[in-house]
Amino acid sequence: MSTNPFNLHYVIPKVNLEPNSKIEVLELKVGILYIGTTDGWILQYGLVERLDEQGNQLLQANFIQSKNIGEKSKITFIHAAPVINTVLVVCSGNLHILNMSDLNPRSGTGQKLKGISACAVNLSNTDQFSLQFCIARKKQLTMYSLNDEKISAIRSKEVSEPVVNMCVDGDTVCAALPSRYIIVNLETGHLIDLFPIEENSPSLAITRIQEQEFLLAGPGNLGMFVTSAGTSVRPPIQWSTNLYRIVFSFPYIIGLSPESVVIYSVSDQKLKQGLSYPGGRTIGAFDGTILLAGSSQVSSLLPVPWQVQAENLLEKESVDDVLHLIDSVMSTPNLSQESLEKIRTIRQRSGFLCLSRGELSRASDMLMSGRTDVREILSLYPEMLSPSSSFVRQSPPLHNIPDISSVVPAHNEVSTHEFLLEYLLNLVEVEEYSPDHPEDVFTAIAKLLASNFPDRFPEFLRKENIVLHYEELVDFLQARGQLHFQALVHEKFQNMETAYKLWCSLLDQSQEDDIFPGPEFLARKLCDEGELLLWQFSEAVLTSDQRIGSLIFTNHKRSSEPDFVEKALHVLSNYKEARKLFLEDLVFEKNSQVEKHHTLLALMLIDSYEIHADAENLRKLILTSSQLNTQFLIDKLRDTSLLYERAILHGRLNQYDQALDILVNIMNDHALAIRFCDDIAAGKNKEEKERILFLLLSTYLHPAKEENKEDFLVKAVDLINTRAEDLNGKQVLSSLPDTWNIATILPAVKVFIREKVHTTNMIKLTKNLTKGENLNTRLTYVELTSEPIHVQSNNYCITCKKSFAGGVVARYPNGVIVHQNCIINKEICPVTGQVFKLSV
């Protein structure tokens, strides 16, 4: 079957001409065909369109009249202007202006123009009631305007050689001279030389492509595109034969040679069709109708309907050609809805053709632009289309692909499943999450992600604006053992208990799914749930991992509420590690002030004190907690090796001597004793810190065991010298034995003296500053009280509104006077509200 864009049909198989006469030029306007001959005759025919038995368009000609313009003279140009009822004819170099109705000369058109070598009509004339045309006489180009009253010259331009052929667009004339092509602007007079013409060139054809762009028959059988600026925006076309006539009818360039007609596409510049037409003499494009003539016959190139061309191209699987065709069709204005639907179907079929060849990227673009029913694509993939779907493939079918397994992706293309996923995601984005058949689309995306891209499935499921086939997706995931994803789907549809039962079965390994993230995931989920699900399923996590299980309670949204805490402690009573971690969070992080929490935590830390971290936490708790039952804990620690912790508890009861006795005499740990003093004195005043360190010094100076005397003496000297700034120098020096050499504590003595001098100086400075401040205050008071108070007879108290006669008055610093008994606040003015503060 042919895929050619045109069919050749005879319009007038045999024109009745004089002997030796031939057709030279054609013109068609408003259904009237004009034929100009080599012997000066104009023949007029009426053309009508009709359809043959197969529905193909045909042109039928009916003879109207004929007229001889110049006997034995060649007619070289005809142009009809129906608006002004005029036909322009150039015969033997003379311009004839005729009436369209009877082909008789028009009257009142002025002088007759002679010596014309070329004539062309301005194709961009904006005045619909006049005709502009340009004629070439000798070496001059002149633009004329013709209306129904007169003809007048508008502008002219001299050129270097006679003009052989030309084409006019506005003020721009593209002309062929004997030696070269030129561009002339008649308004500005600017002239551009284009390129030379080969000697004995068979053609000097010029045709207009679009506004300010022309196509010329160039050297070397090239078709050269030229703009009015003398440049080219398209590459040249290489003709397959010598063309001496060229016309353009979008999107085709039709050329006539002595033996054939050739048709090229302007978009891809490829040869689309060649037709044998021996003896062809002229060709013309008239508002979409293409006529050509031999010596005595007239034929037409009737376009094959684009729908037929497209079907033929699709059968030959010429996807590129069919896309070029429909792109050309889409540029046609006012396409019918039926045509638009046909174009969509063609894009869809082209897309499936590309899909069958493994050209997945092109297939995606065409299927998307064709707005393909997504179910047509899903039906190619097993289990992607819902079993409950009532979809039936289009008839006639858009493709012959049995299923997607028959498609082998081309080189550098993605897999078929990636193709479908990208297509569906693009479709969703283009349709702004409201595609046709949304449940089918989103369910297919979920299936693809679960099967091929499991890491992306949870994120997709969290989207709020998706709709899914619930039961179908659950069955799909269950069949593949993807129980974690199945639970996520249950959660999506608020079937929480079923979801958590699945997760718990994965946690206790009664069922298996490698994708399940583990107890951390389940703990995070339960943190956001209500108490019913929390108490029901938390034990599964605690059984699996107590540390992670404790996070359910520490991070829960109600973890600071007393009722929740008590319930949590009860649930955790069988999980010691988790309970301990929960209590640590309550005490250390949430700063609980409940004595029970502190004491419970201390007892649990005592039980696990062998663990270094727990031992550190116990010390931290004992040091910082103000809610501990201290005496109770001392009794619990009495028979343990936690001597330092017991010493701290004694310190909390201000039993520093007992604490230091444990640290110094029992543990014999000087560094720990110093640390105890620092820890227990933290936050206390300087005097208390001095007292605690002095007790330690006294313990060294009066050892409980005689064998420790020398060792403790060394420690005492070291304590005095290293911590002199934290000791009371007077107290230390008065407690030293008379036998001590003062030189042994010389560093400390220097500190004591420096501290004493500093203290004395600061006392003196403070005393003098206080004295000065007191004097300033007294001066202020004197100034405020020495000023007399003038009370007039008509003055009254602002508070009680009564006269001051016989009463005691008081005055605020801002001058407001009231009865002394009416003073409400000495520091606030009752009128202005000004605040005064004066300390004497």
Side-chain angles (χ1 to χ4, degrees):
M1 187 176 290
S2 172
T3 58
N4 294 325
F6 293 97
N7 289 326
L8 182 63
H9 294 276
Y10 282 117
V11 177
I12 308 175
K14 179 69 174 178
V15 179
N16 188 17
L17 301 176
E18 296 292 329
N20 300 321
S21 178
K22 298 178 181 180
I23 297 174
E24 183 66 23
V25 65
L26 300 174
E27 165 70 334
L28 175 65
K29 283 288 170 64
V30 292
I32 304 298
L33 171 64
Y34 299 88
I35 301 175
T37 67
T38 56
D39 60 354
W41 282 91
I42 294 182
L43 290 81
Q44 194 179 54
Y45 287 80
L47 288 189
V48 293
E49 294 183 1
R50 65 178 183 85
L51 300 178
D52 64 9
E53 295 178 355
Q54 287 75 37
N56 296 317
Q57 179 186 10
L58 297 177
L59 291 176
Q60 181 176 343
N62 299 307
F63 180 77
I64 298 175
Q65 62 180 324
S66 62
K67 185 79 171 181
N68 187 268
I69 303 301
E71 193 170 347
K72 306 301 181 183
S73 298
K74 183 190 294 185
I75 295 177
T76 57
F77 176 82
I78 302 177
H79 181 83
V83 174
I84 56 176
N85 191 33
T86 298
V87 180
L88 292 184
V89 180
V90 176
C91 179
S92 189
N94 299 324
L95 178 67
H96 300 265
I97 303 176
L98 311 179
N99 286 316
M100 284 185 65
S101 54
D102 56 11
L103 299 181
N104 289 322
R106 271 185 49 182
S107 60
T109 54
Q111 61 181 355
K112 194 172 185 179
L113 300 176
K114 301 180 179 181
I116 299 172
S117 60
C119 183
V121 172
N122 180 9
L123 301 175
S124 298
N125 181 26
T126 56
D127 184 0
Q128 60 178 338
F129 296 107
S130 69
L131 175 68
Q132 288 185 0
F133 60 95
C134 183
I135 64 172
R137 292 189 294 178
K138 297 182 179 180
K139 298 180 182 180
Q140 185 182 59
L141 293 171
T142 305
M143 181 74 77
Y144 286 90
S145 176
L146 173 66
N147 55 32
D148 55 2
E149 296 179 355
K150 64 178 180 177
I151 181 172
S152 56
I154 302 175
R155 56 183 66 92
S156 64
K157 170 67 177 177
E158 297 289 335
V159 294
S160 59
E161 299 178 76
V163 175
V164 180
N165 192 16
M166 62 180 171
C167 186
V168 181
D169 186 7
D171 290 315
T172 303
V173 178
C174 182
L177 308 183
S179 62
R180 68 190 189 280
Y181 286 102
I182 61 171
I183 293 281
V184 180
N185 188 300
L186 294 180
E187 182 178 17
T188 63
H190 183 62
L191 185 147
I192 302 173
D193 283 325
L194 297 177
F195 49 83
I197 295 175
E198 293 179 333
E199 189 175 354
N200 300 321
S201 174
S203 172
L204 299 177
I206 306 173
T207 191
R208 180 179 181 270
I209 298 296
Q210 60 181 4
E211 185 177 358
Q212 301 297 305
E213 184 181 15
F214 306 92
L215 175 62
L216 291 64
N221 262 6
L222 289 177
M224 306 292 291
F225 294 94
V226 179
T227 67
S228 59
T231 60
S232 178
V233 294
R234 311 174 201 258
I237 298 179
Q238 180 66 62
W239 306 127
S240 58
T241 184
N242 291 324
L243 303 179
Y244 56 83
R245 295 286 188 274
I246 303 171
V247 295
F248 177 70
S249 179
F250 184 83
Y252 297 108
I253 298 168
I254 302 106
L256 182 65
S257 74
E259 299 296 330
S260 63
V261 179
V262 291
I263 301 163
Y264 291 83
S265 170
V266 75
S267 56
D268 61 9
Q269 300 186 354
K270 292 181 180 179
L271 178 64
K272 299 300 180 182
Q273 187 178 1
L275 295 167
S276 175
Y277 197 73
R281 293 181 56 81
T282 188
I283 187 169
F286 310 102
D287 295 328
T289 301
I290 302 168
L291 299 177
L292 59 161
S295 297
S296 60
Q297 78 276 355
V298 178
S299 306
S300 66
L301 287 177
L302 296 178
V304 176
W306 65 267
Q307 297 90 336
V308 176
Q309 294 183 57
E311 290 292 338
N312 295 340
L313 290 169
L314 286 172
E315 288 192 16
K316 296 179 68 176
E317 299 188 3
S318 300
V319 174
D320 290 335
D321 291 334
V322 79
L323 290 179
H324 278 300
L325 174 65
I326 60 177
D327 285 344
S328 300
V329 174
M330 286 296 292
S331 64
T332 305
N334 302 321
L335 281 174
S336 66
Q337 188 61 36
E338 182 181 357
S339 296
L340 293 174
E341 288 295 328
K342 181 65 176 179
I343 289 173
R344 281 183 53 191
T345 302
I346 291 170
R347 290 189 187 277
Q348 294 170 13
R349 292 176 61 186
S350 300
F352 281 114
L353 271 175
C354 289
L355 181 62
S356 67
R357 298 192 302 215
E359 299 172 5
L360 305 185
S361 300
R362 294 189 69 194
S364 177
D365 293 340
M366 283 180 273
L367 292 172
M368 188 73 71
S369 62
R371 299 183 62 82
T372 309
D373 187 334
V374 70
R375 297 173 298 176
E376 284 279 0
I377 305 171
L378 293 177
S379 65
L380 296 174
Y381 289 77
E383 299 184 302
M384 284 298 118
L385 190 62
S386 172
S388 60
S389 174
S390 59
F391 171 73
V392 178
R393 287 185 178 180
Q394 185 170 320
S395 180
L398 296 173
H399 59 85
N400 57 3
I401 305 173
D403 59 60
I404 200 62
S405 62
S406 64
V407 175
V408 179
H411 182 61
N412 290 331
E413 294 282 4
V414 299
S415 68
T416 53
H417 285 89
E418 285 180 283
F419 155 77
L420 179 60
L421 178 61
E422 290 177 5
Y423 181 86
L424 295 176
L425 291 175
N426 289 337
L427 177 65
V428 166
E429 184 175 351
V430 168
E431 300 292 339
E432 297 180 346
Y433 280 82
S434 299
D436 294 335
H437 317 292
E439 288 187 337
D440 290 331
V441 172
F442 289 118
T443 303
I445 293 174
K447 290 178 179 179
L448 286 167
L449 291 174
S451 302
N452 301 279
F453 312 96
D455 55 320
R456 296 166 61 183
F457 181 84
E459 180 184 359
F460 172 75
L461 213 59
R462 284 193 292 269
K463 296 182 182 297
E464 296 182 358
N465 46 1
I466 61 173
V467 289
L468 300 165
H469 289 295
Y470 175 37
E471 295 180 357
E472 178 192 340
L473 186 55
V474 167
D475 293 342
F476 177 86
L477 296 170
Q478 186 172 13
R480 284 158 179 75
Q482 293 178 305
L483 303 182
H484 172 54
F485 289 169
Q486 186 181 348
L488 289 176
V489 174
H490 287 308
E491 181 193 30
K492 175 78 173 177
F493 285 85
Q494 298 301 308
N495 193 350
M496 305 305 295
E497 188 169 348
T498 303
Y500 278 105
K501 284 181 179 178
L502 271 174
W503 281 322
C504 289
S505 70
L506 294 173
L507 195 60
D508 63 20
Q509 297 184 346
S510 59
Q511 298 190 81
E512 294 184 359
D513 183 357
D514 294 337
I515 300 175
F516 178 57
E520 296 92 343
F521 168 82
L522 192 53
R524 287 196 303 272
K525 285 289 183 185
L526 287 170
C527 285
D528 298 323
E529 296 295 350
E531 291 190 44
L532 184 63
L533 291 173
L534 174 67
W535 308 131
Q536 184 177 357
F537 296 105
S538 59
E539 293 197 23
V541 184
L542 289 166
T543 303
S544 173
D545 190 312
Q546 291 195 41
R547 181 189 64 81
I548 296 173
S550 69
L551 297 176
I552 299 174
F553 304 94
T554 59
N555 296 335
H556 195 271
K557 55 189 177 183
R558 295 190 57 206
S559 61
S560 298
E561 299 177 13
D563 290 346
F564 179 87
V565 171
E566 291 306 313
K567 289 181 182 178
L569 287 173
H570 175 72
V571 170
L572 294 172
S573 59
N574 295 326
Y575 304 95
K576 291 185 178 180
E577 178 66 18
R579 197 182 199 206
K580 180 184 68 177
L581 292 170
F582 180 62
L583 286 168
E584 285 180 352
D585 180 76
L586 282 175
V587 173
F588 295 140
E589 302 299 331
K590 296 186 172 65
N591 197 25
S592 170
Q593 297 302 311
V594 179
E595 182 272 334
K596 174 184 175 182
H597 300 162
H598 290 247
T599 304
L600 278 175
L601 175 59
L603 290 174
M604 298 195 78
L605 292 173
I606 290 170
D607 291 341
S608 59
Y609 70 89
E610 295 88 354
I611 302 173
H612 177 73
D614 287 353
E616 289 296 321
N617 282 337
L618 179 59
R619 290 173 185 172
K620 177 181 176 183
L621 177 65
I622 292 172
L623 282 170
T624 59
S625 175
S626 61
Q627 303 298 326
L628 287 171
N629 188 334
T630 308
Q631 190 59 55
F632 172 74
L633 290 176
I634 289 175
D635 294 338
K636 293 291 292 185
L637 292 174
R638 197 172 302 283
D639 297 325
T640 69
S641 60
L642 299 173
L643 298 174
Y644 177 68
E645 287 74 12
R646 185 152 57 96
I648 294 175
L649 290 171
H650 280 297
R652 290 180 60 84
L653 295 175
N654 294 331
Q655 299 169 356
Y656 302 132
D657 51 348
Q658 294 184 45
L660 291 172
D661 179 62
I662 293 172
L663 296 169
V664 175
N665 294 318
I666 299 177
M667 297 181 67
N668 195 23
D669 192 330
H670 174 69
L672 204 56
I674 294 292
R675 177 180 169 184
F676 165 80
C677 292
D678 291 337
D679 288 346
I680 210 70
K684 299 184 184 308
N685 57 37
K686 188 176 187 299
E687 289 75 14
E688 187 70 10
K689 188 171 185 180
E690 290 175 350
R691 188 171 78 85
I692 295 171
L693 283 172
F694 184 74
L695 284 174
L696 177 59
L697 177 62
S698 298
T699 303
Y700 288 145
L701 292 176
H702 306 96
K705 298 178 182 178
E706 189 65 26
E707 62 267 21
N708 292 335
K709 187 173 183 179
E710 291 185 6
D711 182 40
F712 281 14
L713 182 61
V714 174
K715 292 179 178 178
V717 172
D718 181 64
L719 177 63
I720 294 170
N721 286 330
T722 57
R723 302 299 295 271
E725 68 276 3
D726 296 323
L727 290 165
N728 186 315
K730 181 179 178 181
Q731 189 180 27
V732 170
L733 292 174
S734 62
S735 66
L736 295 178
D738 295 338
T739 57
W740 271 39
N741 186 346
I742 197 67
T744 59
I745 59 168
L746 187 59
V749 171
K750 292 180 180 179
V751 174
F752 294 154
I753 294 172
R754 185 169 62 249
E755 181 69 22
K756 182 62 176 177
V757 171
H758 175 71
T759 302
T760 302
N761 291 337
M762 289 302 295
I763 290 172
K764 290 180 180 179
L765 180 62
T766 303
K767 179 180 178 182
N768 289 326
L769 289 173
T770 303
K771 184 182 293 185
E773 184 180 3
N774 182 263
L775 289 173
N776 288 332
T777 303
R778 287 179 178 276
L779 176 61
T780 303
Y781 178 76
V782 169
E783 291 174 348
L784 290 173
T785 57
S786 61
E787 184 179 347
I789 301 175
H790 299 283
V791 180
Q792 304 295 330
S793 59
N794 60 346
N795 291 153
Y796 60 89
C797 175
I798 197 68
T799 301
C800 67
K801 312 299 182 185
K802 294 181 181 179
S803 172
F804 289 115
V808 180
V809 299
R811 187 187 68 177
Y812 283 93
N814 63 349
V816 175
I817 303 172
V818 296
H819 285 121
Q820 186 175 16
N821 295 333
C822 293
I823 296 175
I824 299 173
N825 191 326
K826 294 180 179 181
E827 298 178 355
I828 300 177
C829 174
V831 177
T832 65
Q834 184 177 352
V835 178
F836 312 103
K837 187 69 175 177
L838 180 63
S839 298
V840 181

